Amino acid sequence: MDKRIDSREALSALRARVRQQLKPREGAEALRITVHMGTCGIAAGARDIIHHFAEQLDRENLHEVALTRAGCAGLCDQEPMITLRDASGTEFRYGRLDQRKIEEIVQGHVLQGVPVRKYLITA
C-alpha cells in the first residue's frame, strides 16, 4: 500500500481518518474506558493504547463501551494506564499496558466481566 500523500484530497482524507480514530467513543456506557494521556502517559505510549483499544472495541462490535481520554492520574510509573468503570460505578485501574495486555483486558474484563488481576494496579 502506497502511504504517500500526493494531493490535498489525500491529506484531507487522512486527517478525517485520524480525527475519527481519536474521537472519544460514546456508548450507552455499559463500560467506560479512560486512557490517561498526561505528558507521562503520552511519552509512555498512550496514543498507541487508545488506538489499539478503539480497534479492539470495533472488532468486537462493542458500541456500548465508551472510550475516552483524560489527563494524568498521578501514577506516572504505571503508564500507559487506563481506568475502566463498569455499569455499577466500580473503577479498575490497569497499568503498564501494551497491545497484548489490551487484548486480554478486552477478552476478559470487557467481554466476560472478569477483571484481569495480573494487570491491575493495586496500591
Side-chain angles (χ1 to χ4, degrees):
M1 181 167 105
D2 189 359
K3 293 186 180 189
R4 289 181 297 162
I5 299 173
D6 55 5
S7 69
R8 198 169 225 179
E9 292 78 20
L11 179 60
S12 293
L14 175 62
R15 182 181 312 125
R17 270 195 323 273
V18 170
R19 282 187 176 160
Q20 184 63 31
Q21 287 176 334
L22 292 176
K23 182 178 169 185
R25 295 170 52 104
E26 295 297 335
E29 240 179 88
L31 292 172
R32 173 176 286 266
I33 297 170
T34 302
V35 180
H36 297 280
M37 297 186 70
T39 304
C40 53
I42 291 169
R47 284 190 181 113
D48 290 337
I49 296 302
I50 199 166
H51 289 295
H52 198 63
F53 259 114
E55 289 171 2
Q56 291 297 307
L57 296 174
D58 286 344
R59 182 173 294 130
E60 298 292 341
N61 288 323
L62 293 168
H63 302 290
E64 70 281 3
V65 177
L67 179 62
T68 62
R69 296 175 277 187
C72 181
L75 300 169
C76 300
D77 65 319
Q78 296 293 320
E79 295 289 357
M81 65 178 281
I82 65 160
T83 299
L84 187 151
R85 189 182 73 215
D86 66 18
S88 73
T90 303
E91 291 188 346
F92 302 84
R93 289 239 168 104
Y94 288 98
R96 297 184 178 146
L97 298 176
D98 58 31
Q99 289 185 0
R100 181 184 51 77
K101 292 175 183 178
I102 290 167
E103 291 167 9
E104 287 184 53
I105 292 167
V106 169
Q107 293 301 312
H109 199 153
V110 176
L111 288 171
Q112 299 176 23
V114 179
V116 184
R117 297 204 181 279
K118 62 186 172 184
Y119 305 135
L120 286 172
I121 300 169
T122 56

